Amino acid sequence: MSLALIVALIIFILIFILRMPISIGMLVSGAFYFLIKGTSLDSVCDFVMNTYYTNYVIIAVPLFIFTANVMNSGKVTEKVFSFANALSGGRRGALGHVNVIASLVFSGMTGSAIADASGLGKMEIDAMKKEGYDDGFSCAITAASATIGPIFPPSIPLVMYAMFAGTSVGALFLGGMIPALLVAAALMVYVSLMAHARNYPRAAKIPFAEFVHQSLGAIPALLTPVILLAGIYTGVMTPTEAGAIAGLYAIVVSFLCYKALKWKGLWEIIKETVAGTGSVSLMIGAASVISYIVAREQIANNLGQFIIDLNLGKTGFLVLTNVIILILGMFMDTSTIQLVFVPILIPVAAALGIDLLHFGLVVTLNMMIGLSTPPFGMLLFITANISDTPLKKVMQEILLPIVFLLVVLAVITFVPQIVLFLPKLVGMI
């Protein structure tokens, strides 16, 4: 490694240890690298602007952020929760199943684990605690089920991955459907086991008339993913255009159907979206500076050759990648992993002949598991905070759900056809 790279790494590690914003750490370490190298920043700025900020796909990110913020307002989350409750039936531990079903439904509207946990989360946890569920369990299943959000389409992380890997956003969205359903099924098995072990209450069976009423009330919200996905897969609109249509439809639903949004509330949502987009844009810009350094130092090429020389093969590389990302996920924010480390691994995966669509779903699910992994899983802090539950209780309860999530990760890692089946079925790959 060059002296400039060593200095940049030391500065980045120091900033990480000091818990400063990662984006600032990447920019500062990058600045020192260019200062030592004597590189003109003109070429760096040109690389960043032309490579990332002119990318049409990335426009979908703020559009999906806006849609998530609108859907999190007012009665939309209530309708989703009521619909999921109607589906759960009178089984033992029904509210735990409601939690998972609601996350699956809501994921088709927001594409964000954070939006799921912070939007539906408080409603779900409050209802579970009221019915006698343990606080830690309620928070843990809420955090674990929120990982479905970025796997089932639409998905902000999958849009970001498509930008780096050059894969089809539509194919990635289709590829995420079966893994998302597997995650939901695995978590419902976990809920069933815990409900019987702890004798959690049965929910009252909902009369058919009430089920119809709740379902009809949820239809406007449930049509969001239908419109979005139908538009993409019929070729009527691109994923970016679908994001714009989804945002517009979310406004119509909230204003007219549920009357849950006022002009003042919309203005607050716009400001929140701008702030979120600014944060994401700063991260992308900072990460692209690191990508420039990685390319200049030929780190990806050297790492790729090193891994190829190890003769790990496709399976060995995927296992190694999973282990590395799982460890990083315990200590780092997922956006940092996706923007800094995943782009380094993509060329290696391609060189080994791994389908980049399959690779994208593997690393994305892995990163989402990281959001619930102690000691720094963001979803753990969110669920503990919104429910006034001690963080220690949440961390104790999350360990078993993580095991179930890892089983699903292992399944899609070793059986690529689970991811590739639907995209192949519709001729997208």
Side-chain angles (χ1 to χ4, degrees):
M1 292 192 294
S2 66
L3 175 62
L5 182 59
I6 292 173
V7 171
L9 284 173
I10 291 173
I11 292 172
F12 181 78
I13 292 170
L14 286 175
I15 289 176
F16 174 74
I17 292 173
L18 293 172
R19 308 299 296 172
M20 293 177 65
I22 294 296
S23 55
I24 302 300
M26 289 190 285
L27 288 173
V28 171
S29 58
F32 272 90
Y33 173 87
F34 297 126
L35 183 65
I36 296 172
K37 282 285 187 179
T39 302
S40 170
L41 292 181
D42 292 348
S43 58
V44 180
C45 293
D46 183 67
F47 171 82
V48 172
M49 296 303 292
N50 288 327
T51 305
Y52 295 98
Y53 291 127
T54 57
N55 193 307
Y56 180 69
V57 172
I58 203 174
I59 300 174
V61 174
L63 295 173
F64 285 131
I65 291 174
F66 175 76
T67 302
N69 289 338
V70 174
M71 285 299 185
N72 259 333
S73 66
K75 295 182 180 178
V76 179
T77 50
E78 293 178 22
K79 294 296 182 181
V80 171
F81 182 81
S82 297
F83 174 70
N85 190 39
L87 283 177
S88 67
R91 69 190 68 187
R92 187 174 298 281
L95 282 180
H97 295 290
V98 169
N99 197 312
V100 177
I101 295 170
S103 292
L104 180 62
V105 173
F106 202 62
S107 67
M109 305 174 196
T110 65
S112 167
I114 303 299
D116 186 334
S118 56
L120 278 170
K122 182 169 178 56
M123 189 183 307
E124 294 168 336
I125 295 171
D126 287 348
M128 293 178 73
K129 290 168 70 173
K130 186 178 179 181
E131 291 295 322
Y133 291 76
D134 297 319
D135 293 1
F137 172 82
S138 302
C139 292
I141 191 59
T142 301
S145 66
T147 61
I148 301 172
I151 307 302
F152 194 86
S155 165
I156 293 173
L158 289 181
V159 171
M160 301 289 289
Y161 176 85
M163 180 184 69
F164 289 120
T167 53
S168 163
V169 175
L172 281 167
F173 281 3
L174 265 183
M177 286 186 178
I178 296 178
L181 292 173
L182 288 177
V183 170
L187 291 177
M188 291 180 78
V189 170
Y190 160 74
V191 170
S192 295
L193 293 175
M194 297 301 293
H196 284 86
R198 298 182 179 180
N199 198 31
Y200 285 141
R202 290 181 181 274
K205 289 187 177 181
I206 296 177
F208 180 74
E210 179 65 18
F211 172 79
V212 173
H213 176 73
Q214 298 293 355
S215 299
L216 290 176
I219 283 178
L222 296 176
L223 282 177
T224 307
V226 175
I227 293 172
L228 191 151
L229 297 176
I232 293 174
Y233 298 125
T234 56
V236 174
M237 61 186 83
T238 66
T240 300
E241 292 165 345
I245 295 298
L248 178 61
Y249 180 74
I251 292 175
V252 172
V253 168
S254 297
F255 264 104
L256 301 181
C257 296
Y258 297 137
K259 304 186 186 305
L261 191 61
K262 304 297 181 184
W263 288 111
K264 183 178 180 181
L266 180 60
W267 176 242
E268 292 301 318
I269 287 171
I270 291 172
K271 291 194 292 184
E272 187 179 347
T273 301
V274 170
T277 302
S279 177
V280 171
S281 300
L282 180 61
M283 279 293 299
I284 292 172
S288 62
V289 171
I290 300 300
S291 297
Y292 181 90
I293 296 172
V294 167
R296 180 167 175 167
E297 293 284 336
Q298 295 188 320
I299 294 174
N301 292 338
N302 293 333
L303 176 64
Q305 190 57 53
F306 172 74
I307 292 176
I308 290 171
D309 290 342
L310 291 176
N311 292 318
L312 294 174
K314 295 181 182 181
T315 303
F317 171 72
L318 287 171
V319 171
L320 178 63
T321 298
N322 277 332
V323 171
I324 292 172
I325 294 179
L326 283 170
I327 293 173
L328 291 174
M330 294 180 183
F331 306 100
M332 300 183 70
D333 184 71
T334 53
S335 58
T336 306
I337 299 172
Q338 181 166 39
L339 295 172
V340 177
F341 294 98
V342 172
I344 296 174
L345 296 172
I346 289 172
V348 183
L352 290 170
I354 297 171
D355 189 292
L356 292 184
L357 181 63
H358 173 231
F359 187 69
L361 266 301
V362 170
V363 297
T364 300
L365 176 56
N366 199 321
M367 290 186 298
M368 294 311 107
I369 293 173
L371 285 173
S372 298
T373 306
F376 297 115
M378 179 65 71
L379 294 176
L380 304 180
F381 290 93
I382 290 174
T383 54
N385 183 58
I386 63 177
S387 62
D388 294 324
T389 302
L391 185 60
K392 182 180 179 181
K393 284 187 177 181
V394 185
M395 288 188 176
Q396 290 172 341
E397 290 280 359
I398 196 64
L399 298 180
L400 192 53
I402 287 176
V403 172
F404 281 80
L405 292 175
L406 290 177
V407 169
V408 177
L409 176 62
V411 169
I412 71 166
T413 298
F414 296 120
V415 189
Q417 289 307 314
I418 291 175
V419 172
L420 303 178
F421 173 72
L422 288 179
K424 284 184 177 179
L425 187 66
V426 301
M428 299 194 76
I429 57 174

